């Protein structure tokens, strides 16, 4: 779908980690780096960066925001409202269900020490199988 023209166009991409990665990469108005296969604790998944395409006028988008993903077909639950927003995603397959974890970079004026701390928390997240 087009992340800018999202009203009435939200769809279910299924529960798998791969489906989420493919849906994010296929979005218009955004761009993703190629996904890298990773292990997060006992589970496999993917990591990629996601950002706004440079030519997008966010003010012209539905609701003045880019809909990145949603847990509902009726409203957007994660969006970007500025050109500078971008995220690093880790999407993990937890035995047929997916877990999505992201660290956002909202604004370059945020204290770099806080961003380093946020990244450290992001990097510390693991999923264990209990085995």
């Amino acid at each position: 779908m087009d992340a800018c023209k999202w009203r009435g166009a939200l769809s279910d991409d299924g529960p798998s980690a791969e489906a989420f990665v493919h849906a994010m990469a296929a979005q218009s108005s955004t761009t993703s780096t190629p996904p890298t296969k990773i292990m997060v604790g006992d589970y496999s998944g993917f990591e990629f960066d996601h950002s706004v395409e440079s030519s997008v006028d966010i003010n012209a988008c539905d609701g003045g925001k880019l809909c990145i993903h949603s847990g509902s077909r009726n409203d957007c639950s994660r969006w970007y409202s500025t050109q500078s927003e971008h995220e690093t995603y880790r999407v993990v397959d937890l035995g047929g269900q997916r877990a999505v974890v992201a660290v956002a970079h909202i604004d370059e004026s945020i204290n770099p020490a806080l961003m380093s701390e946020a990244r450290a928390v992001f990097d510390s997240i693991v999923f264990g199988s209990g085995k």
Side-chain angles (χ1 to χ4, degrees), residues 46-102:
F46 303 93
E47 180 173 312
F48 62 95
D49 292 330
H50 198 70
S51 60
V52 180
E53 283 186 352
S54 61
S55 61
V56 174
D57 176 6
I58 295 175
N59 292 322
C61 295
D62 292 345
K65 59 188 176 186
L66 283 174
C67 185
I68 304 307
H69 57 83
S70 181
S72 161
R73 289 185 179 208
N74 302 320
D75 197 18
C76 185
S77 56
R78 178 65 187 120
W79 64 87
Y80 298 161
S81 56
T82 67
Q83 192 72 33
S84 62
E85 289 181 67
H86 59 283
E87 294 174 292
T88 299
Y89 278 87
R90 289 190 181 147
V91 186
V92 182
D93 179 0
L94 301 177
Q97 294 294 313
R98 74 169 171 245
V100 178
V101 183

Side-chain angles (χ1 to χ4, degrees), residues 8 10 13 18-19 30 36 40 53 69 71 73 82 91 96-97 100 107 113 115 117 127 129:
L10 298 176
D13 58 0
E18 285 183 340
T30 64
T36 303
V40 181
E53 283 186 352
H69 57 83
R73 289 185 179 208
T82 67
V91 186
Q97 294 294 313
V100 178
D107 185 318
M115 288 307 304
E117 187 175 340
F127 297 95
S129 63

